[in-house]
Amino acid sequence: MIAKPLAAVTRLTGLWFPAGAVAVLLLISATTVRAASSIEPGDTVRVTIAETPRLDGERKVDADGTIALPQVGSIALAGLGIDEARQRIERMLVQKGILKAPTVLVEIARYRPIYVGGRVARPGAIEFEPGLTVRHALILAGGMGRPAANADSVNVPELRARWQVASFQLLQINSSIARLDDELSRTRQTPVESKTSIRPDLGAVEKIDQGILVDRLATWTESQAHLKDQMALYDFEIDVLAQQAELQENEQRLATEQVARAHRLVERELMPLTRLEELQAVLSNASEDVLENRAVTARAKQGRSDVAYEIASADMKWRLDIQNQLRGLLVERERTKAEIEALGAQIVEAGVTLSEADALQMRPAVTIYRTVDGQETAISAGMSTELRAGDILDVSFGKGTG
């Protein structure tokens, strides 16, 4: 059955518009609808047909992905975007002979809810709105916590104090690990992933570690410069000894020649024996000088070799020292994280509902289970991660700490 045509004018929001303007307004409105997500079972869509208002209304998408439209029947919309759904309804209206040129507007009236479970005060379904983040979902779920059960039997202030001490220890460990990582690469420290909005006192720890890093790098640089200066001095000494050895060997050669000539002259009784003995003493002294020069040169070369080895091995010693420290800190970090997780769980199990700030400090681990193309995917999420309709959130302690 074909619907009756609209009147020449239609009343909208207290004003009168020509009938043709209605279609234009509907199309303009449709462009403002968020179309980033597709229509899925559980969503409620609002269908507006300009030519037949009696077919207007909200329709929930059934489990089989369809909606029921009067006079049209079931229409499959699951998996379609807003524009695709609008075009499909328009085609169905034409195919059924209901309208020749329908003007349809499709909007999502209500999205399928998200579900929050795990360590939250009020687990269950939460109405979804575009732009909803994990942080918003935790707030809507009442924050991290459990219904009160055994709060009277647990010293909650003591648990909180122990948790705060362990939390600060973890921040110190993370800051030290960041400093040691920078020492390994010998670069100026990049700040630890900013937690100062959560723990303002971390700034003092970072400042101390940055100071230690600067001093350590300066010590390394000065040590290397000192060793290289020693190397240069040894090179200079060896060069001087080489020049001295050349002169001493020339003197030894001349003294040897003089003694040989003196021997011949003494044999011929042309030179007194005492003169030969004097020349032999000179030769002996020259030979001693050559030998002493060789000994000093050998010691200088050994000293240079020691410095060269120290320069070459300094980097290895530096790295081994830092890596040993890192190994100890990494073990300590895991132990501290486990302690924080256990303390946080005890606090929540005692029936204490945590504020948003407390929840952030405890670094909850949030896993989103999201169905994509029929396959469920687990996604590790942060506080600012945006949610999608139908997401399932599982909230726990400690896995994201540090």
Side-chain angles (χ1 to χ4, degrees):
M1 184 177 76
I2 305 297
K4 295 180 180 180
L6 292 174
V9 290
T10 303
R11 187 175 182 84
L12 289 175
T13 63
L15 297 176
W16 289 96
F17 291 91
V22 175
V24 175
L25 288 172
L26 289 174
L27 289 174
I28 292 174
S29 176
T31 62
T32 64
V33 177
R34 176 184 289 264
S37 59
S38 60
I39 298 170
E40 298 295 342
D43 290 337
T44 299
V45 297
R46 181 182 297 109
V47 179
T48 305
I49 304 172
E51 293 79 7
T52 57
R54 57 192 174 78
L55 297 181
D56 295 351
E58 295 183 357
R59 307 282 188 272
K60 186 172 183 178
V61 182
D62 294 332
D64 61 0
T66 66
I67 65 169
L69 199 64
Q71 297 183 277
V72 177
S74 295
I75 303 177
L77 299 184
L80 300 182
I82 296 296
D83 286 341
E84 293 173 318
R86 174 182 57 78
Q87 292 168 5
R88 177 166 293 184
I89 293 173
E90 288 177 348
R91 284 198 303 271
M92 292 293 290
L93 289 169
V94 173
Q95 290 172 6
K96 294 286 185 177
I98 299 172
L99 293 170
K100 293 182 178 179
T103 304
V104 176
L105 171 64
V106 176
E107 302 171 285
I108 295 182
R110 287 182 302 280
Y111 290 87
R112 57 200 180 281
I114 62 171
Y115 298 88
V116 183
R119 296 189 181 277
V120 292
R122 296 192 299 272
I126 293 175
E127 186 175 345
F128 175 80
E129 291 183 4
L132 193 71
T133 65
V134 168
R135 178 179 285 105
H136 298 145
L138 286 180
I139 294 172
L140 292 172
M144 296 186 66
R146 288 289 194 198
N150 58 340
D152 294 337
S153 63
V154 177
N155 190 337
V156 175
E158 180 184 351
L159 286 177
R160 280 184 177 274
R162 288 169 57 193
W163 177 85
Q164 288 175 351
V165 171
S167 177
F168 187 70
Q169 288 174 341
L170 181 60
L171 297 177
Q172 289 179 303
I173 291 170
N174 283 333
S175 181
S176 296
I177 289 174
R179 170 178 61 81
L180 291 172
D181 283 338
D182 285 334
E183 280 191 41
L184 278 177
S185 59
R186 297 194 190 92
T187 59
R188 290 299 298 273
Q189 188 177 23
T190 51
V192 184
E193 179 184 354
S194 180
K195 304 182 184 74
T196 52
S197 60
I198 300 171
R199 293 296 301 266
D201 45 6
L202 178 60
V205 176
E206 289 179 341
K207 186 175 181 180
I208 291 172
D209 275 322
Q210 288 173 0
I212 293 173
L213 176 65
V214 169
D215 290 342
R216 290 268 294 172
L217 293 180
T219 300
W220 164 266
T221 302
E222 291 172 4
S223 174
Q224 289 291 296
H226 177 67
L227 290 173
K228 289 176 181 178
D229 286 344
Q230 281 188 300
M231 179 80 78
L233 287 174
Y234 276 121
D235 287 336
F236 178 74
E237 183 180 4
I238 291 170
D239 184 60
V240 170
L241 287 170
Q243 296 178 36
Q244 188 178 23
E246 186 178 356
L247 294 174
Q248 290 170 339
E249 288 169 0
N250 285 334
E251 290 178 1
Q252 184 186 39
R253 188 168 50 255
L254 291 173
T256 300
E257 293 173 355
Q258 288 178 345
V259 168
R261 286 196 298 270
H263 267 292
R264 291 193 295 270
L265 291 173
V266 168
E267 289 174 355
R268 294 166 58 188
E269 298 182 353
L270 297 175
M271 176 181 287
L273 183 60
T274 55
R275 177 58 180 162
L276 174 61
E277 291 173 347
E278 291 175 355
L279 291 174
Q280 287 176 331
V282 171
L283 175 59
S284 177
N285 290 335
S287 298
E288 288 179 3
D289 290 342
V290 169
L291 291 174
E292 184 178 357
N293 180 285
R294 289 174 181 172
V296 173
T297 299
R299 287 195 295 272
K301 288 182 177 180
Q302 180 60 50
R304 186 189 187 284
S305 177
D306 291 342
V307 173
Y309 174 79
E310 191 170 351
I311 290 175
S313 62
D315 182 73
M316 182 179 297
K317 292 177 181 177
W318 172 283
R319 290 183 177 277
L320 285 175
D321 177 57
I322 293 175
Q323 287 168 352
N324 283 330
Q325 293 182 59
L326 274 173
R327 181 174 58 183
L329 285 171
L330 290 172
V331 172
E332 183 65 16
R333 180 167 71 177
E334 292 307 310
R335 186 198 66 76
T336 306
K337 286 168 64 175
E339 181 181 358
I340 291 172
E341 181 178 358
L343 289 170
Q346 290 179 58
I347 292 171
V348 172
E349 292 298 340
V352 178
T353 298
L354 303 177
S355 65
E356 181 188 5
D358 287 335
L360 286 173
Q361 287 188 47
M362 288 202 173
R363 295 283 177 183
V366 179
T367 302
I368 297 174
Y369 295 95
R370 178 176 296 164
T371 301
V372 179
D373 296 330
Q375 299 292 324
E376 186 177 71
T377 303
I379 303 168
S380 179
M383 289 294 106
S384 60
T385 302
E386 285 201 21
L387 300 174
R388 296 183 185 176
D391 281 349
I392 299 174
L393 278 68
D394 181 55
V395 183
S396 59
F397 277 125
K399 301 303 182 184
T401 306

